[in-house]
Amino acid sequence: MKIDSFPYAFFQEKIVSIEKAKISVMTNGFQYGTGFFGGIRGYYNKSTKSLSLFRVDDHIKRFFNSANILGCELPYTQEQLHKIIVQLIKKNKPETDCYLRVYAYVGNTELGPNLANVTLDVGIYMIPLQEYMPLGKGLSLIISSWQRISDNSISTLAKASGGYINSALARKEATDGGFDEAIMLNKFGNVAEGSAENLFIVRHGKLITPGFSEGVLGGITRESVITIAKDMEIETIEQPITRSELYTADEVFLTGTACQVAWVEQIDKRIIGDGKIGSITSQLKEKFFKIVKGEDAGYTQWCIKIKS
């Protein structure tokens, strides 16, 4: 499915029309996945004609953490990147919910994968985005035969571009089988995450999610849900999860910038709980969407509003 972009992008140190934001076929990052990225959600409010940008500075910080993990330097400070993002939004004048993709890549055309002594190029574009995954129904998941990469192969805390071939293989397996998404196990045989989402289960009124040692991405939405749950006096436990624990969980849901909070109806054709969205998932989902839209006064520090 083709997704239209907004008319302007940030490319090679300036804002240009999206048609001019093109790279050479010889670009190193294109050939070898030598780069990393981040995604930021914006929620449009028609009455105020403004965009609520969710945890933008936390996304930028994680973007810089990815650079540090890969041993690369970015040509901007975090403050400069923040200003560029705001400028691009104002230039595009969105009137709908949107998604910003911020990425850095090795822009030279040298042969061979190498992150040493390189200058990273930074690009940003925007697309309209409502639901990435269907939120009105429970998801159908499959446990993938593809193993989640380990942190000693490709960093699982960096959103490294090349690492997402691992995700693509798992997602293809799910799609080919008629499922909405895949769950990936790590080298220990424990649950890691979805192809591009963090995972939570609910058991006896508590949230359980794999910790970083299980090879999961440090998701901003994951961290947000843990904080929201704590404020709602719902305990979160970070510990390994076996596949059998998925089948017997009271509730299961996925989190991520794109998927937001998406509940799971079945895994490997086994119905989770009573096959309906669970009470805790429902409460967290409702609270989350109020927060990201800037409608919850208790979490205004997480959102900045940009007049479009």
Side-chain angles (χ1 to χ4, degrees):
M1 180 180 68
K2 182 179 183 296
I3 299 178
D4 293 328
S5 68
F6 284 92
Y8 297 101
F10 181 79
F11 180 70
Q12 293 186 344
E13 303 183 359
K14 58 186 177 180
I15 293 176
V16 300
S17 65
I18 191 69
E19 292 80 11
K20 293 182 179 179
K22 308 295 184 183
I23 63 169
S24 165
V25 69
M26 295 172 63
T27 301
N28 192 280
F30 172 66
Q31 296 182 76
Y32 301 110
T34 46
F36 52 91
F37 66 92
I40 306 170
R41 275 267 194 180
Y43 297 83
Y44 185 70
N45 186 312
K46 290 183 180 179
S47 61
T48 62
K49 295 183 178 180
S50 65
L51 195 74
S52 175
L53 205 59
F54 185 60
R55 299 193 68 172
V56 59
D57 287 326
D58 293 308
H59 280 286
I60 291 172
K61 182 178 180 180
R62 185 176 65 179
F63 188 71
F64 274 73
N65 284 343
S66 290
N68 194 46
I69 290 170
L70 298 183
C72 300
E73 290 188 5
L74 289 162
Y76 305 100
T77 66
Q78 294 187 42
E79 292 76 15
Q80 287 172 330
L81 193 57
H82 179 115
K83 289 179 181 178
I84 292 168
I85 288 170
V86 172
Q87 289 171 357
L88 182 62
I89 291 171
K90 289 182 176 180
K91 183 74 172 176
N92 276 316
K93 297 181 173 61
E95 295 182 355
T96 184
D97 292 353
C98 61
Y99 177 91
L100 290 87
R101 170 56 56 86
V102 186
Y103 62 96
Y105 61 99
V106 179
N108 65 43
T109 55
E110 294 179 6
L111 196 63
N114 197 341
L115 290 169
N117 303 316
V118 299
T119 298
L120 293 176
D121 289 345
V122 173
I124 310 171
Y125 65 87
M126 297 171 57
I127 59 172
L129 186 64
Q130 299 292 329
E131 290 186 1
Y132 174 73
M133 286 184 169
L135 298 177
K137 74 175 188 73
L139 300 178
S140 173
L141 273 52
I142 186 175
I143 295 178
S144 178
S145 65
W146 292 96
Q147 185 182 104
R148 169 69 170 158
I149 55 175
S150 69
D151 195 59
N152 283 325
S153 55
I154 300 175
S155 173
T156 52
L157 286 181
K159 288 179 71 70
S161 303
Y164 277 78
I165 188 67
N166 184 233
S167 301
L169 288 167
R171 178 68 68 86
K172 181 184 188 308
E173 186 176 26
T175 303
D176 288 349
F179 297 88
D180 295 309
E181 180 55 294
I183 297 173
M184 304 188 75
L185 306 182
N186 59 27
K187 64 181 181 180
F188 305 111
N190 296 325
V191 175
E193 57 184 30
S195 73
E197 309 86 14
N198 293 119
L199 179 144
F200 289 81
I201 69 172
V202 178
R203 189 170 62 210
H204 305 313
K206 298 178 181 179
L207 293 182
I208 304 174
T209 190
F212 293 153
S213 62
E214 298 301 303
V216 306
L217 177 71
I220 304 296
T221 308
R222 174 186 183 273
E223 180 188 319
S224 301
V225 165
I226 291 172
T227 300
I228 295 166
K230 182 179 179 181
D231 294 342
M232 296 173 67
E233 299 185 345
I234 300 170
E235 182 182 356
T236 300
I237 303 169
E238 295 184 80
Q239 67 180 39
I241 297 173
T242 65
R243 67 188 301 162
S244 294
E245 288 179 285
L246 292 176
Y247 303 148
T248 57
D250 298 325
E251 307 173 34
V252 178
F253 62 92
L254 303 177
T255 64
T257 297
C259 82
Q260 304 168 108
V261 178
W263 71 280
V264 176
E265 180 182 353
Q266 56 179 286
I267 300 172
D268 288 342
K269 298 185 178 180
R270 293 160 171 84
I271 298 297
I272 306 302
D274 60 5
K276 300 177 181 178
I277 186 169
S279 173
I280 289 179
T281 304
S282 182
Q283 292 176 60
L284 291 170
K285 180 180 176 182
E286 182 179 355
K287 184 77 168 175
F288 175 79
F289 277 104
K290 285 188 65 178
I291 291 170
V292 297
K293 293 176 182 178
E295 298 171 356
D296 192 308
Y299 297 85
T300 53
Q301 75 278 8
W302 277 355
C303 301
I304 63 169
K305 294 188 177 181
I306 301 170
K307 285 283 186 180
S308 59

